[in-house]
Amino acid sequence: MHFAHGNSFPAGTYRRYLELLGNTYDVRALAIHAHNPAYPVTDGWPALVQELVDELLARYKDQVILVGHSLGGLLSLMAARQRPDLVRCVVLLDSPVSVGWRAVLLRVAKAFNVAHRWSPARYSIKRRNQWPDAEAVFRHFSTKQVFASWPEEVLRDYIEHGTVEQPGSVKLRFRRDIETAVYLTLPHHLGQVIKAGYPVPVGFIGGVDSVECRQAGMAATRRLVGRHIRMLPGDHLFPLETPDAAASATDEMIQSLLTA
């Protein structure tokens, strides 16, 4: 199983979730996406998709199960379309597929350079990214509403794997300019990716309170995955909020997809 993380959360943040899946699968992941200058962030993420494809080619001799959260899910979906010979199935973790008028609106917003007004980019560009030490990072994020439902061990994992030490300070590992660029270049061509019969089985697990699912709409995702859909308590970050439940649901979804 190859896992691809969400925007701004390096793979180590999902340690608990991945360790549980590791009881059944050989789980591997690229530690951090979008930070290799050989694969720059551009509109629609073509280089990021190629980065994932190249990872699969370098790491594995056999087909793999792709599991991706948010950014990682969409990268997995596009990579599997590009190279279905490398993939057995895809599990999307709160990575809804936006098509139709929503995709047109996104394309227009990008063309007129106003996409930041409706995306998390308006927050990420000014996100605080430096503290005196790791404990200060923990205190900062533990007071934020988005992290309030995370188990402490997951937040500690985020601090361990999501920051880097510098002389006299600690800084976020996932650069905020790259996080912002990812938001501003969201693919608007996913209708082309999923049309005419997707080449491998796909399943979707989402959070019942996910704003991302409401914004993107779920009609296209439901058409894509059919009966392979499940919604869990939580929001867009449910794999980090409830890693045990997320891992169990992921395992069940994988088995369902492989059987299908």
Side-chain angles (χ1 to χ4, degrees):
M1 189 192 106
H2 187 89
F3 176 75
H5 63 74
N7 191 20
S8 84
F9 299 109
T13 311
Y14 302 78
R15 177 194 60 81
R16 172 67 180 174
Y17 168 76
L18 297 178
E19 281 187 354
L20 291 168
L21 286 168
N23 293 327
T24 305
Y25 307 94
D26 175 8
V27 181
R28 308 180 195 180
L30 177 65
I32 187 166
H33 282 270
H35 283 61
N36 185 337
Y39 303 97
V41 180
T42 57
D43 193 26
W45 309 339
L48 301 188
V49 174
Q50 190 60 51
E51 179 180 40
L52 178 53
V53 169
D54 289 348
E55 279 291 307
L56 301 183
L57 289 168
R59 288 175 178 262
Y60 309 104
K61 295 182 179 179
D62 300 313
Q63 289 181 314
V64 301
I65 298 160
L66 281 181
V67 178
H69 177 222
S70 190
L71 160 69
L74 296 183
L75 292 180
S76 298
L77 192 69
M78 291 187 283
R81 165 60 82 178
Q82 183 174 315
R83 290 296 305 268
D85 56 306
L86 303 177
V87 180
R88 296 185 69 188
C89 64
V90 177
V91 178
L92 306 175
L93 303 177
D94 218 82
S95 304
V97 178
S98 182
V99 302
W101 66 266
R102 290 180 173 87
V104 171
L105 184 62
L106 175 60
R107 181 175 62 186
V108 172
K110 290 192 291 185
F112 285 91
N113 198 30
V114 294
H116 61 281
R117 296 183 183 178
W118 299 283
S119 83
R122 65 187 186 276
Y123 304 115
S124 61
I125 192 63
K126 57 185 180 182
R127 188 189 313 284
R128 181 177 177 182
N129 69 341
Q130 195 164 356
W131 297 264
D133 53 45
E135 197 58 32
V137 184
F138 177 81
R139 290 195 300 270
H140 173 83
F141 283 114
S142 63
T143 64
K144 301 296 182 181
Q145 182 177 359
V146 70
F147 299 97
S149 58
W150 288 28
E152 181 176 334
E153 68 172 312
V154 178
L155 183 53
R156 295 286 184 185
D157 288 335
Y158 174 51
I159 294 167
E160 178 181 352
H161 298 279
T163 63
V164 291
E165 292 186 6
Q166 296 183 327
S169 67
V170 172
K171 191 173 184 178
L172 287 181
R173 183 180 183 189
F174 205 109
R175 287 167 41 193
R176 61 185 180 186
D177 60 317
I178 292 179
E179 178 188 0
T180 302
V182 168
Y183 286 132
L184 294 178
T185 55
L186 283 164
H188 59 260
H189 67 290
L190 294 176
Q192 298 297 315
V193 174
I194 65 173
K195 75 172 186 177
Y198 194 76
V200 302
V202 186
F204 182 91
I205 306 172
V208 294
D209 299 317
S210 170
V211 173
E212 284 73 7
C213 286
R214 292 198 297 273
Q215 288 178 336
M218 289 296 292
T221 301
R222 292 183 182 277
R223 288 195 301 270
L224 171 65
V225 304
R227 65 182 177 87
H228 299 291
I229 185 168
R230 182 171 176 182
M231 305 302 288
L232 298 181
D235 59 27
H236 182 61
L237 299 178
F238 76 89
L240 301 170
E241 297 168 344
T242 55
D244 295 48
S248 177
T250 302
D251 180 33
E252 292 172 6
M253 182 63 73
I254 290 170
Q255 295 307 313
S256 178
L257 291 170
L258 295 181
T259 301

